[in-house]
Amino acid sequence: MKTQSLISMGLLPILSVNAAYTWPSKYDELEDILYLQAGYRRYGFRDGVTPCGFSADGSNRETAAEWIKTAYHDMATHDVETGLGGLDASIAYELGRAENPGSAFNGTFGFTNNYASIKSSNSDLLAMSVVVASMACGGPIIPFRAGRIDAVQAGVPGVPQPDQDLATHTAIFAKQGFNTTEMITMVACGHVLGGVHGVDFPQITGDNNETSFPHFNSQYDNFTNSIVTEYLEDKSIDVLVVGKNDTFNSDKRIFGADNNKTMTSLADPSNFQAQCRDIFARMIDTVPASVTLSEVITPIEVKPTELSLALGANNTLSFTGSIRVRTTHRNADNVTVSLRYRDRNNNLSNTTISTERGRWQLGQSYGFAREVFTFYEFDTAFDVTSSISSFDVIIHTAGEADEINTNNGLGFPVSDAILLQAPQSCQPQIIVNEAGQWNLTITAAVRADRVGEPVAFDWVYKRFIQGVMINQLEVQRTVMEKASEEIGGYYLYTATKPIDTVQWSTTFDLVLGEGDNVSKLEFLSTGNLASTSWLDEKVQEREDAHKTRRSAVGARDILYSILFDIVAATQHVLRI
């Protein structure tokens, strides 16, 4: 689909749409993970807690409860006076402590690790896990903010233990920044789901078998206030309330800390949901004082995704991608999307780029709270001399005025200074040295007027730590060298770096220039690169053809023929 419709921009009725969000944002990846749960393009974060009582580790586990537990234990290191500790993923380094028994924590990281990246920290994902667990279980929608920074070592101890007295618990929660009412609310909301594992606390359950898992309440797999009502009606099954050894009945002591005043107020289902929303938001937003969180991340109305500008054949630039439109409150069947764009010199074109709605699963993705997003795809080309610098998104709804999203007046930016040449980039799964490494080859096209400036790719190295489930991420730079003469106003640059095989799926940035004159292409995936290069494929095709006629051709002629093909293929690559 390479289309540009000849629509005069002066004839369009306009309803200007300029939301506070400006693209791109450093939180775009987290917004996708949170809201694209199913459908056409899905991250599937909710899969780990759907249905609510589910656990991939068996019937005696509940992942949703474990996610909430992990986040609280991680946050519990916070000291409100010093500003140290909080939700920072330090729990990954604290699992040798008696206050953190069991496999829930590593189980949580075993899932969230699938989403961790330079754009989505482990601590942000822990916070998100509370949000997703609550929504998957019918609980409140908890506002999610981003910007947490992962710790690189353990924090101080501080998780309350069930055999501690009320005064100790009150002091521990106060250190974290919570008063008595908030302590009661936190424990009640935190013990809506799940129960106590006998293998971790046999002194509480009286049974140390893996199957021992007495629940906190009768509706342990549904976010209701039964933990409260059963307690007030003297029908509790919570072993931290009615346990045989009163020393471990910590929930009973905490729930009654204000003579049941707070618990009585939580007996109202609406108030319970509201208070759990607020206390969980407080919990996940309790971070070290050095961390500044973002505003609440809400679903974006219009968002470009997977944009690619690359040097193509015949002095053209290939431009592909999608526009994600929030259609929760729109009838997507009545919506069409087009782009008006500006050339390299910022001149507005008198034509638009048309799009087509994605076909797989109707081009729609779905999130919690019945959120719907529809994707509109495009594939077009520009002459290299005119190119593109930005675009606006036009949303046409039948019978209504067109909406033009200008990205807060800035246009959605597209840089043509440095381009990823995916066909000439690859990651062959072939061991190249005694260390058992593979080669990662990245090729970029650099605009002729920027030649002479430094070119590199910054890739994210995952440092594995013995006994710790999460990785520490380090950005390492590889310098790229010029590899061609001028091709349509661009020069090719390339670099090859040996990498450990465990690093095969990571991300990288292309970087051109330095100081105030830096151009970047960010968050590119090595996992999307071919396992063989275009040149390797062509050479292999020729070698296979030679095998069928080896008996008729001398070995020297075969060698000359292969060398000729290599030269021809190389020239083709340089011409693109």
Side-chain angles (χ1 to χ4, degrees):
M1 177 183 70
K2 292 183 179 291
T3 54
Q4 285 182 290
S5 59
L6 301 177
I7 301 175
S8 170
M9 299 309 302
L11 299 179
L12 291 173
I14 295 174
L15 174 62
S16 182
V17 178
N18 289 308
Y21 166 81
T22 300
W23 183 89
S25 163
K26 61 182 177 180
Y27 303 125
D28 280 336
E29 176 74 356
L30 285 166
E31 192 264 356
D32 278 342
I33 296 172
L34 179 59
Y35 287 106
L36 302 185
Q37 294 293 340
Y40 177 65
R41 290 184 182 167
R42 66 187 303 274
Y43 282 75
F45 201 92
R46 74 174 186 182
D47 292 356
V49 289
T50 303
C52 176
F54 168 77
S55 172
D57 294 313
S59 59
N60 299 307
R61 302 275 294 274
E62 186 176 354
T63 298
E66 293 180 359
W67 286 5
I68 294 172
K69 174 182 179 179
T70 301
Y72 174 74
H73 278 237
D74 185 53
M75 181 280 302
T77 61
H78 184 67
D79 186 326
V80 70
E81 292 187 1
T82 66
L84 300 177
L87 197 65
D88 58 5
S90 65
I91 184 72
Y93 303 90
E94 299 160 3
L95 300 187
R97 297 174 180 171
E99 65 185 33
N100 297 318
S103 55
F105 311 106
N106 277 339
T108 298
F109 283 122
F111 184 87
T112 59
N113 272 348
N114 296 307
Y115 302 87
S117 72
I118 202 72
K119 297 285 189 179
S120 49
S121 68
N122 291 285
S123 43
D124 271 340
L125 293 170
L126 279 186
M128 187 184 295
S129 73
V130 176
V131 176
V132 172
S134 177
M135 288 192 286
C137 293
I141 299 176
I142 303 162
F144 173 73
R145 304 172 190 270
R148 295 165 189 82
I149 299 173
D150 290 345
V152 295
Q153 61 186 12
V156 298
V159 179
Q161 299 300 292
D163 59 346
Q164 294 168 327
D165 60 24
L166 180 60
T168 302
H169 282 155
T170 303
I172 289 173
F173 276 89
K175 182 181 179 182
Q176 297 165 0
F178 301 99
N179 61 30
T180 298
T181 298
E182 293 162 342
M183 172 182 68
I184 297 168
T185 304
M186 180 81 79
V187 175
C189 296
H191 287 175
V192 167
L193 308 173
V196 177
H197 291 279
V199 69
D200 301 325
F201 295 99
Q203 69 275 36
I204 295 175
T205 67
D207 185 348
N208 64 358
N209 289 318
E210 289 279 353
T211 56
S212 175
F213 185 38
H215 301 123
F216 289 124
N217 62 87
S218 61
Q219 298 187 45
Y220 63 93
D221 58 355
N222 190 13
F223 204 101
T224 71
N225 67 340
S226 58
I227 182 75
V228 175
T229 57
E230 290 173 5
Y231 165 81
L232 293 174
E233 295 169 2
D234 201 23
K235 297 178 181 178
S236 178
I237 61 172
D238 181 356
V239 292
L240 298 179
V241 172
V242 297
K244 293 180 179 180
N245 188 341
D246 199 51
T247 300
F248 295 98
N249 286 337
S250 55
D251 280 8
K252 182 176 75 171
R253 291 189 290 273
I254 290 173
F255 291 165
D258 62 355
N259 295 317
N260 292 337
K261 178 181 177 181
T262 299
M263 292 295 279
T264 300
S265 72
L266 295 176
D268 176 76
S270 297
N271 185 52
F272 181 77
Q273 293 277 330
Q275 295 304 316
C276 288
R277 178 196 64 217
D278 293 346
I279 202 67
F280 279 165
R282 283 273 310 281
M283 178 181 77
I284 64 177
D285 289 351
T286 298
V287 295
S290 58
V291 173
T292 300
L293 297 179
S294 71
E295 295 299 316
V296 174
I297 293 181
T298 56
I300 304 306
E301 294 293 327
V302 176
K303 183 177 180 180
T305 182
E306 296 187 350
L307 297 189
S308 173
L309 186 66
L311 191 58
N314 302 319
N315 293 323
T316 62
L317 293 172
S318 171
F319 185 44
T320 62
S322 298
I323 305 298
R324 195 196 81 182
V325 178
R326 182 174 178 240
T327 51
T328 306
H329 304 294
R330 305 174 189 264
N331 184 348
D333 293 337
N334 295 332
V335 172
T336 57
V337 173
S338 59
L339 314 180
R340 69 176 187 184
Y341 67 96
R342 299 164 189 83
D343 66 16
R344 180 180 293 149
N345 297 319
N346 204 36
N347 297 314
L348 184 64
S349 173
N350 61 0
T351 64
T352 62
I353 301 169
S354 62
T355 70
E356 289 185 3
R357 179 174 167 177
R359 296 181 181 180
W360 169 248
Q361 296 197 355
L362 300 178
Q364 292 187 320
S365 296
Y366 310 95
F368 291 108
R370 299 184 179 180
E371 290 288 357
V372 183
F373 305 89
T374 306
F375 290 80
Y376 298 86
E377 303 170 340
F378 60 89
D379 183 346
T380 191
F382 305 106
D383 187 277
V384 293
T385 59
S386 58
S387 187
I388 183 174
S389 61
S390 68
F391 62 87
D392 302 326
V393 176
I394 305 170
I395 300 176
H396 174 74
T397 303
E400 299 180 14
D402 286 349
E403 300 176 19
I404 298 186
N405 191 300
T406 65
N407 199 31
N408 294 316
L410 302 174
F412 294 93
V414 181
S415 174
D416 68 350
I418 184 168
L419 315 172
L420 174 65
Q421 294 302 111
Q424 291 82 49
S425 302
C426 63
Q427 188 176 221
Q429 298 178 12
I430 300 172
I431 294 176
V432 297
N433 56 32
E434 293 182 356
Q437 295 178 308
W438 296 344
N439 273 341
L440 171 63
T441 297
I442 303 297
T443 301
V446 175
R447 206 173 59 210
D449 63 306
R450 300 289 298 272
V451 168
E453 299 181 45
V455 182
F457 70 87
D458 290 344
W459 70 290
V460 179
Y461 175 80
K462 301 175 183 178
R463 183 170 298 282
F464 298 92
I465 304 167
Q466 185 70 31
V468 177
M469 281 290 291
I470 64 175
N471 305 319
Q472 293 180 2
L473 304 183
E474 302 174 3
V475 177
Q476 300 183 1
R477 172 158 292 189
T478 299
V479 175
M480 304 176 72
E481 302 293 341
K482 189 165 69 171
S484 78
E485 298 301 317
E486 184 176 350
I487 308 167
Y490 284 83
Y491 289 80
L492 296 185
Y493 281 70
T494 190
T496 296
K497 179 178 180 59
I499 62 170
D500 296 333
T501 56
V502 293
Q503 303 288 342
W504 76 273
S505 181
T506 185
T507 60
F508 64 97
D509 299 342
L510 287 175
V511 184
L512 168 64
E514 55 190 350
D516 295 332
N517 192 33
V518 171
S519 297
K520 285 187 177 183
L521 279 180
E522 295 186 330
F523 206 53
L524 304 168
S525 174
T526 60
N528 292 335
L529 299 179
S531 58
T532 57
S533 69
W534 182 91
L535 178 58
D536 291 336
E537 291 174 354
K538 292 302 179 184
V539 171
Q540 186 61 51
E541 288 175 5
R542 193 65 174 182
E543 289 177 339
D544 291 343
H546 284 313
K547 290 179 182 178
T548 64
R549 54 190 178 90
R550 187 174 298 276
S551 60
V553 182
R556 185 182 64 179
D557 293 337
I558 293 175
L559 178 60
Y560 284 157
S561 181
I562 292 175
L563 290 174
F564 175 81
D565 284 342
I566 292 174
V567 172
T570 303
Q571 291 174 340
H572 179 85
V573 170
L574 297 182
R575 290 196 301 270
I576 309 297

